[in-house]
């Protein structure tokens, strides 16, 4: 899997690389300018020395000559000694061994050591390298600007952390408060997300109100029908009507559980339950008198599964009901193992990949079986909530749904 880096990491790398490149560029420019300045200084000093040698006589005022040409005498003996020891010698010249001239460079300053008989002095050239100084000032200014922009951009991205936290809170069912955002790109994203979140909440609330209103309205006629059914004297008809109304009441309760689960109003309560107990509860939900005739159970291991007993039997019931609906002979088989169970039924091959049927409101287009196409969607979502894997495969003209609740081993094919 390709590793992805965060925006913060990319910004840090970008600014560090930019700063290093700028430093290298300025160092190169400073070095070039320093060398150019030294070459120009050497040329100036050579010309001064040449003119002095040509004009030299016993009455020649060397000190006045160099002072008039922007040189000043260095009087600190320690500094002179340091420059002579550590400075870079640029050139050496002499006048028939009467005068000796040594040009030196130290800390980007130019010096000249003059010895003419009894006259011995050390001079510093007072002409500054303006371009060098401007480059140095420009370097510090640009460095400050880069550092300032770096922290400014990081500060501008700080609201992203807040927005990410609020989005996570919204995903967990909390109601975040999208305030204190500036009128920038992040603020606009937060505003649009707030609009989308508010709209989504309104849709959820309207859906919940609609479903609960329908379930409440259905409860009343079902209750009245149950009361009337109790008044019927003929036992067979009475039993049938009671079963019908019980089935309707059970369906409404099932819808209420599923609706609460997917609207995040229901917390799963896990506890270890034997597969046979879950299957018995699913059998009660199905309310099929012929269950034992049309469903063949192979209980090879009565596994202990950690599930929510209010919800998971409905999932098993949906899988069995789906298998019976789409079975070519009206039967299905259940295999229970230590780490998984399999439900299979004979039938023709699906026209679409299984992922298509795991979506809500999808079913075989030309199938005569009635339904809303929510069964497998609910099964898939609840398996995810339980952290179970559900695998589909078509083998020997049979549809097989395998649900793993133990150690995952997708290569296992035992049924």
């Amino acid at each position: 899997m390709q590793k992805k880096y965060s925006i913060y990491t990319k910004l840090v790398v970008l600014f560090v690389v930019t700063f290093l490149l700028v430093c290298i560029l300025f160092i190169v420019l400073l070095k070039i300018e320093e060398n150019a300045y030294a070459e120009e200084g050497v040329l100036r000093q050579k010309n001064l020395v040449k003119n002095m040698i040509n004009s030299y006589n016993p009455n020649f005022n060397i000190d006045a000559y160099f002072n008039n040409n922007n040189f000043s005498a260095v009087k600190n003996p320690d500094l002179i000694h340091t420059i002579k020891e550590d400075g870079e010698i640029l050139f050496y010249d002499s006048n028939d061994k009467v005068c000796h001239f040594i040009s030196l460079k130290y800390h980007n300053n130019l010096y000249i050591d003059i010895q003419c008989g009894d006259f011995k002095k050390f001079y510093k050239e007072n002409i500054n390298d303006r371009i060098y100084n401007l480059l140095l000032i420009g370097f510090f200014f640009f460095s400050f600007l880069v550092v300032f922009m770096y922290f400014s951009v990081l500060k501008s991205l700080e609201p992203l952390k807040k927005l990410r936290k609020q989005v996570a809170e919204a995903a967990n069912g909390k109601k975040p408060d999208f305030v204190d955002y500036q009128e920038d790109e992040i603020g606009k994203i937060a505003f649009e997300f707030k609009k989308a979140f508010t709209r989504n909440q309104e849709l959820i609330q309207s859906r919940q109100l609609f479903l609960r209103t329908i379930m409440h309205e259905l409860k009343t006629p079902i209750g009245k029908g149950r009361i009337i059914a109790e008044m019927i004297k003929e036992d067979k008809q009475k039993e049938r009507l009671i079963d019908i109304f019980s089935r309707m009441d059970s369906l409404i309760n099932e819808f209420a559980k599923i609706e609460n689960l997917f609207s995040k109003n229901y917390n799963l309560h896990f506890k270890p339950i034997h597969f046979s107990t879950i299957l018995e509860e699913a059998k009660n939900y199905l309310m099929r008198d012929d269950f034992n005739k049309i469903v063949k159970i192979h209980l090879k291991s009565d596994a202990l599964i950690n599930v929510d007993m209010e919800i998971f039997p409905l999932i098993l019931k949906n899988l069995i009901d789906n298998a019976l609906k789409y079975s070519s002979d009206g039967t299905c088989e259940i295999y229970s193992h230590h780490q998984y169970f399999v439900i299979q039924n004979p039938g023709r091959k699906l026209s679409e990949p299984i992922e298509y049927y795991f979506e809500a409101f999808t079913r075989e287009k030309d199938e005569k079986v009635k339904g809303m196409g929510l069964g497998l969607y609910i099964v898939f979502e609840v398996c995810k909530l339980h952290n179970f894997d559900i695998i589909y495969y078509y083998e020997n003209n049979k549809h097989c749904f395998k649900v793993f609740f133990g150690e995952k081993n997708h290569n296992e094919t035992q049924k």
Side-chain angles (χ1 to χ4, degrees):
M1 184 175 66
Q2 185 179 3
K3 186 176 181 180
K4 296 182 179 179
Y5 297 94
S6 67
I7 295 176
Y8 290 94
T9 303
K10 293 177 181 177
L11 279 175
V12 170
V13 173
L14 174 63
F15 277 103
V16 168
V17 171
T18 302
F19 185 75
L20 289 177
L21 289 176
V22 169
C23 289
I24 293 172
L25 176 64
F26 271 101
I27 290 172
V28 171
L29 290 176
L30 289 172
K31 195 66 179 177
I32 292 173
E33 179 56 30
E34 183 180 340
N35 293 333
Y37 172 70
E39 291 177 0
E40 292 177 0
V42 169
L43 183 61
R44 285 195 300 271
Q45 290 184 5
K46 284 183 177 181
N47 290 331
L48 286 174
V49 170
K50 183 179 180 180
N51 292 333
M52 174 184 164
I53 292 173
N54 293 333
S55 305
Y56 184 75
N57 57 68
N59 298 322
F60 190 84
N61 191 335
I62 300 175
D63 192 51
Y65 177 73
F66 277 94
N67 287 334
N68 292 334
N69 285 279
N70 295 317
F71 281 82
S72 59
V74 178
K75 298 179 181 180
N76 188 334
D78 294 332
L79 177 60
I80 294 172
H81 177 74
T82 301
I83 295 172
K84 287 183 178 182
E85 289 290 327
D86 301 332
E88 177 188 356
I89 298 176
L90 300 179
F91 77 90
Y92 173 84
D93 201 352
S94 64
N95 179 19
D96 295 331
K97 298 182 180 181
V98 177
C99 292
H100 301 278
F101 306 91
I102 301 176
S103 177
L104 299 105
K105 178 183 175 184
Y106 183 74
H107 287 176
N108 206 42
N109 291 314
L110 300 180
Y111 301 87
I112 188 167
D113 183 18
I114 302 174
Q115 297 182 17
C116 284
D118 296 332
F119 184 88
K120 297 180 180 180
K121 271 196 176 184
F122 200 87
Y123 291 94
K124 174 186 176 183
E125 188 173 2
N126 294 321
I127 298 176
N128 292 323
D129 187 358
R130 295 182 179 179
I131 297 178
Y132 181 90
N133 294 333
L134 288 175
L135 285 174
L136 203 58
I137 294 171
F139 169 72
F140 286 113
F141 175 77
F142 193 83
S143 299
F144 171 78
L145 183 63
V146 170
V147 173
F148 173 79
M149 289 300 298
Y150 170 70
F151 286 104
S152 178
V153 171
L154 285 185
K155 186 177 180 181
S156 299
L157 291 176
E158 281 296 317
L160 271 179
K161 296 181 180 179
K162 178 182 175 182
L163 181 59
R164 180 173 62 85
K165 182 179 178 181
Q166 290 179 325
V167 171
E169 290 176 352
N172 292 326
K174 296 182 180 179
K175 186 177 180 180
D177 187 12
F178 297 95
V179 296
D180 299 331
Y181 284 97
Q182 298 180 358
E183 291 293 329
D184 54 9
E185 288 78 4
I186 298 176
K188 292 177 181 178
I189 293 173
F191 177 72
E192 293 299 328
F193 184 81
K194 179 182 179 181
K195 284 172 46 178
F197 175 78
T198 304
R199 177 61 177 164
N200 185 58
Q201 290 297 107
E202 291 173 351
L203 290 174
I204 291 174
Q205 291 173 2
S206 63
R207 186 198 67 180
Q208 291 175 347
L209 180 61
F210 175 72
L211 291 175
R212 290 170 185 174
T213 301
I214 290 178
M215 289 187 288
H216 175 73
E217 293 299 324
L218 287 175
K219 284 280 188 178
T220 302
I222 289 173
K224 291 181 179 179
R226 179 69 181 270
I227 294 173
I228 294 172
E230 294 286 350
M231 298 178 182
I232 296 177
K233 295 180 179 180
E234 187 179 347
D235 292 338
K236 189 175 182 179
Q237 294 296 331
K238 178 181 178 179
E239 185 179 347
R240 286 180 177 176
L241 285 173
I242 290 175
D243 286 344
I244 291 172
F245 286 119
S246 296
R247 171 62 175 157
M248 293 176 67
D249 188 61
S250 176
L251 284 172
I252 290 175
N253 292 332
E254 179 182 338
F255 291 151
K257 291 177 183 178
I258 298 298
E259 191 275 332
N260 283 330
L261 180 66
F262 290 131
S263 61
K264 309 300 182 183
N265 292 324
Y266 181 86
N267 294 321
L268 294 173
H269 301 284
F270 297 96
K271 61 180 179 179
I273 307 292
H274 282 286
F275 179 78
S276 58
T277 304
I278 301 171
L279 182 60
E280 191 64 28
E281 190 69 15
K283 179 180 176 180
N284 293 332
Y285 282 129
L286 277 169
M287 299 182 67
R288 294 285 297 260
D289 295 332
D290 56 348
F291 183 87
N292 293 328
K293 295 180 180 180
I294 60 177
V295 179
K296 297 179 182 179
I297 302 171
H298 305 275
L299 199 63
K300 296 185 177 182
S301 174
D302 193 9
L304 200 62
I305 313 175
N306 196 36
V307 298
D308 183 294
M309 195 55 186
E310 291 289 323
I311 295 297
F312 201 77
L314 297 176
I315 304 314
L316 187 56
K317 169 255 179 186
N318 276 345
L319 281 172
I320 297 171
D321 190 39
N322 187 75
L324 292 173
K325 282 181 180 179
Y326 293 94
S327 175
S328 58
D329 62 3
T331 65
C332 72
E333 294 179 274
I334 302 175
Y335 294 84
S336 173
H337 293 273
H338 179 61
Q339 295 181 350
Y340 65 93
F341 65 84
V342 180
I343 298 177
Q344 64 181 35
N345 65 280
R348 60 186 178 84
K349 192 174 182 179
L350 297 175
S351 60
E352 300 287 345
I354 190 60
E355 290 78 14
Y356 170 80
Y357 302 97
F358 282 148
E359 298 292 331
F361 305 106
T362 54
R363 52 196 299 273
E364 286 288 79
K365 297 177 181 178
D366 58 347
E367 189 63 55
K368 295 181 180 179
V369 178
K370 295 181 179 179
M372 298 178 65
L374 285 171
L376 287 181
Y377 167 73
I378 294 173
V379 169
F380 181 73
E381 292 297 325
V382 174
C383 280
K384 282 201 305 184
L385 292 173
H386 281 77
N387 199 27
F388 294 166
D389 283 348
I390 180 168
I391 308 298
Y392 168 81
Y393 55 93
Y394 187 73
E395 187 175 78
N396 299 325
N397 296 322
K398 290 182 179 180
H399 301 282
C400 304
F401 286 90
K402 182 185 291 187
V403 177
F404 287 88
F405 48 80
E407 182 180 353
K408 308 296 188 301
N409 182 6
H410 295 267
N411 294 323
E412 184 160 4
T413 58
Q414 182 184 6
K415 298 183 274 294

